[in-house]
Amino acid sequence: MTDILKDNHQIIQILEKIYNGLDDERNSNFGLLGGEAGKLLFKYHYLDFIGELEQSENFLVDLEYLLENLQNSVLTGFCNGSSGVLWLLSYLLKSGVLDDEVYDLISHNFNIYKRECLAFIGSGNYDFLHGGLGIAFFILYAENQIDHTFFSVVFQGLNSLIDEELGMIPHFDFDDFELDNGKVNLGLAHGITSVLKFSIECYNKNVCQVQSLDLSQKIIRYLMLNVNSDTSFSFFPNVIVKGSESQVSGRPSWCYGDLGIGIILYQAGDSFKDQKLQKFSLNILRKHCLQTSYEASILDAGLCHGSAGLFHIYNRIWKLTNETVFEQASLFWLEKTIGYTKFSGDSCFYDRYLPSDGYEKSYAILDGTAGVGLAYLSYLTGKHHWDYSLMLN
C-alpha cells in the first residue's frame, strides 16, 4: 500500500473516515444495495486493503449481526432483501473469508429462491433490483452445481413477457405492479439492459447458451433499432413510449442512460466476438467523456445516478481499453465525488438527493457512502469483483 499512499493520501484519509462513520447509524434495512449488508461489503474490502481483516473483531460482530437478522427479512429481492445478503455470503465464501459450512446455509435456500424467482417473472416482475432477475443473478453466482433446467425455465419466462406489438419486454410498473404494455424501459437498473447482462453472464458460464444468445440478440437488435435520431445529447432514451415520436433522454448514469447501456453492449460485443458492436459501444462511452452539458444534473455522489457511478464506470472502461480519454473522464468525476464528501469529526459520509425530500445522509451501496467507498477502493487497487452486485462484472 506504500506507493498508493504517496499519490492518493486524500482518498486514503477519506476511506478511513468512511470506515469510522459507518456504524454511526444502524439501518433497519439489512439488504445488500440498500442497507447493512452493503456496509459489511465495504468493511471487508477496506480491512483487506489496510491489512487488518484477520485482526478485526468488529467485522465478525457485524457478520454475526447480519446472520441473526437474515431470517427476519420478509423481502427476497436483490437490493433490499435476503437474496442480496446471501449473495454477499457467497462472495465472502469465494473470497476465502468464510468456511464451507456457510455454503450449507446458502444452498439450503436455493429451491425457495428458485420458486420465488419464477413467481416474480411469472407475474411480470423481471426487475433486477426488486424482482426475479436479481434472484436469478444471485443463484447463477452462488450455486456450485448449475441447475440448467431452472435457468431454461427462467429464459422461457422472460421470452414469454415479450409483447408482440412492442417487440420487447415491457416496462414493469411498480405503482400498478404489472407490465405496462405501452413502454419499454431501456435502463440497467429496471429495464431490458439488465436482461441483456443476465443473458451474457449465462452465455459466458455455458448456461443455456442457445437461449441466452437468442435473447441477447433480440435485445441488442431492439436497442440498435431505437438509437435516437439525434445523438447530440444521448444515443438512447430512458424509456420507449409506444406511439410517441419524442422520447425522453436523461443524463448518463449506472441506472439509466447511455453509460449503463454502453458498458453492457461493450461486454456483449466481447462475449459474442462482435467487433462492430464493441466499436459502437465505445463511441457511446467516448461521447460522454467529452460532453459536460449534463454536469449540473449530477446532484450527488451515489453509484446509482451520481458522480461515483460515472467515476467507477469510466475507471472500469479505462482499465479494459487503456484509452486516455476514459482515464481523464474517470479522474474528472473522481474529483467531483471527493467534493461531495461531508466531514464530521473523525468520520465522513455522503448524502443522496431525493427530488421530493432534498438531501439526506445515506450509507448504502446504491446511493450512498458504502458505494462511494467501494469505488475509491477499486480505483486504488484495480480490483472490481464486488461490482457483480451492480451487474458490471
Side-chain angles (χ1 to χ4, degrees):
M1 199 173 78
T2 306
D3 292 337
I4 292 174
L5 274 170
K6 289 179 182 177
D7 298 326
N8 297 286
H9 185 64
Q10 184 181 18
I11 298 176
I12 300 292
Q13 286 183 318
I14 291 174
L15 284 167
E16 181 180 5
K17 290 179 181 293
I18 288 175
Y19 180 78
N20 291 341
L22 279 184
D23 291 330
D24 286 352
E25 298 177 11
R26 282 286 190 187
N27 194 334
S28 59
N29 181 340
F30 293 97
L32 174 64
L33 299 181
E36 292 296 308
K39 289 159 66 173
L40 189 65
L41 180 58
F42 168 80
K43 289 177 181 180
Y44 160 65
H45 279 289
Y46 177 70
L47 290 168
D48 185 56
F49 173 66
I50 64 174
E52 294 183 9
L53 181 62
E54 294 182 4
Q55 295 83 22
S56 176
E57 293 183 5
N58 287 337
F59 180 80
L60 296 177
V61 170
D62 289 340
L63 182 59
E64 289 174 4
Y65 177 74
L66 196 65
L67 289 170
E68 288 171 4
N69 286 278
L70 176 61
Q71 302 304 321
N72 298 326
S73 175
V74 296
L75 300 175
T76 55
F78 194 79
C79 179
N80 296 319
S82 50
S83 64
V85 178
L86 290 173
W87 176 86
L88 173 62
L89 297 180
S90 303
Y91 181 81
L92 294 175
L93 174 64
K94 291 175 186 262
S95 301
V97 178
L98 303 179
D99 57 37
D100 290 340
E101 290 181 7
V102 173
Y103 184 76
D104 295 335
L105 168 66
I106 300 167
S107 61
H108 178 72
N109 291 287
F110 279 145
N111 287 335
I112 297 171
Y113 286 94
K114 287 174 184 177
R115 290 194 295 270
E116 187 79 357
C117 169
L118 296 177
F120 270 130
I121 293 174
S123 71
N125 183 4
Y126 64 93
D127 193 84
F128 167 62
L129 293 179
H130 310 297
L133 203 63
I135 298 175
F137 209 56
F138 146 64
I139 294 170
L140 183 65
Y141 179 88
E143 196 168 31
N144 287 341
Q145 298 295 323
I146 295 292
D147 183 350
H148 291 267
T149 300
F150 163 71
F151 286 104
S152 179
V153 177
V154 169
F155 278 108
Q156 291 172 31
L158 291 170
N159 273 291
S160 73
L161 299 180
I162 296 176
D163 181 89
E164 289 187 11
E165 190 173 346
L166 288 172
M168 187 39 58
I169 302 172
H171 168 67
F172 185 78
D173 189 324
F174 278 97
D175 291 329
D176 297 326
F177 222 76
E178 63 182 14
L179 291 171
D180 181 347
N181 291 322
K183 296 179 181 178
V184 177
N185 188 323
L186 304 191
L188 181 54
H190 304 291
I192 61 171
T193 299
S194 63
V195 181
L196 174 58
K197 172 59 185 179
F198 171 72
S199 302
I200 295 168
E201 194 72 13
C202 287
Y203 183 86
N204 289 339
K205 290 192 171 187
N206 298 315
V207 176
C208 303
Q209 278 200 321
V210 173
Q211 290 170 288
S212 58
L213 178 60
D214 176 69
L215 186 54
S216 294
Q217 291 175 334
K218 288 176 182 175
I219 295 171
I220 292 167
R221 280 196 298 270
Y222 184 86
L223 289 170
M224 298 301 284
L225 286 170
N226 286 282
V227 174
N228 287 329
S229 55
D230 178 4
T231 60
S232 59
F233 181 73
S234 69
F235 277 77
F236 294 102
N238 290 343
V239 177
I240 302 290
V241 180
K242 183 170 63 175
S244 175
E245 294 184 6
S246 177
Q247 309 292 352
V248 177
S249 299
R251 66 191 184 280
S253 61
W254 169 79
C255 53
Y256 282 97
D258 284 1
L259 222 59
I261 298 172
I263 193 170
I264 301 305
L265 286 177
Y266 179 87
Q267 293 179 9
D270 182 55
S271 295
F272 305 139
K273 312 302 180 192
D274 187 336
Q275 293 184 354
K276 185 177 179 181
L277 183 60
Q278 274 196 304
K279 182 178 179 180
F280 174 72
S281 66
L282 288 174
N283 285 338
I284 296 171
L285 296 166
R286 288 190 199 102
K287 172 187 175 57
H288 291 288
C289 290
L290 305 172
Q291 187 183 60
T292 58
S293 60
Y294 58 85
E295 182 183 341
S297 66
I298 305 299
L299 300 175
D300 62 24
L303 286 174
C304 184
H305 46 260
S307 60
L310 301 175
F311 149 54
H312 181 67
I313 290 175
Y314 282 130
N315 183 43
R316 250 195 169 285
I317 292 293
W318 169 41
K319 299 298 184 185
L320 288 169
T321 65
N322 206 32
E323 290 191 21
T324 303
V325 67
F326 295 127
E327 178 188 15
Q328 292 172 340
S330 178
L331 294 175
F332 175 84
W333 289 107
L334 168 61
E335 184 177 351
K336 294 292 182 182
T337 302
I338 291 172
Y340 281 115
T341 311
K342 297 284 188 69
F343 294 95
S344 177
D346 291 333
S347 64
C348 71
F349 61 90
Y350 293 87
D351 286 334
R352 64 175 178 174
Y353 178 77
L354 300 173
S356 57
D357 301 319
Y359 286 97
E360 66 177 29
K361 188 186 301 184
S362 173
Y363 288 106
I365 283 181
L366 195 61
D367 58 13
T369 307
V372 176
L374 284 165
Y376 287 149
L377 286 167
S378 287
Y379 170 74
L380 295 178
T381 66
K383 298 176 181 178
H384 303 86
H385 306 96
W386 62 269
D387 69 9
Y388 184 100
S389 63
L390 294 174
M391 287 194 147
L392 293 175
N393 56 303

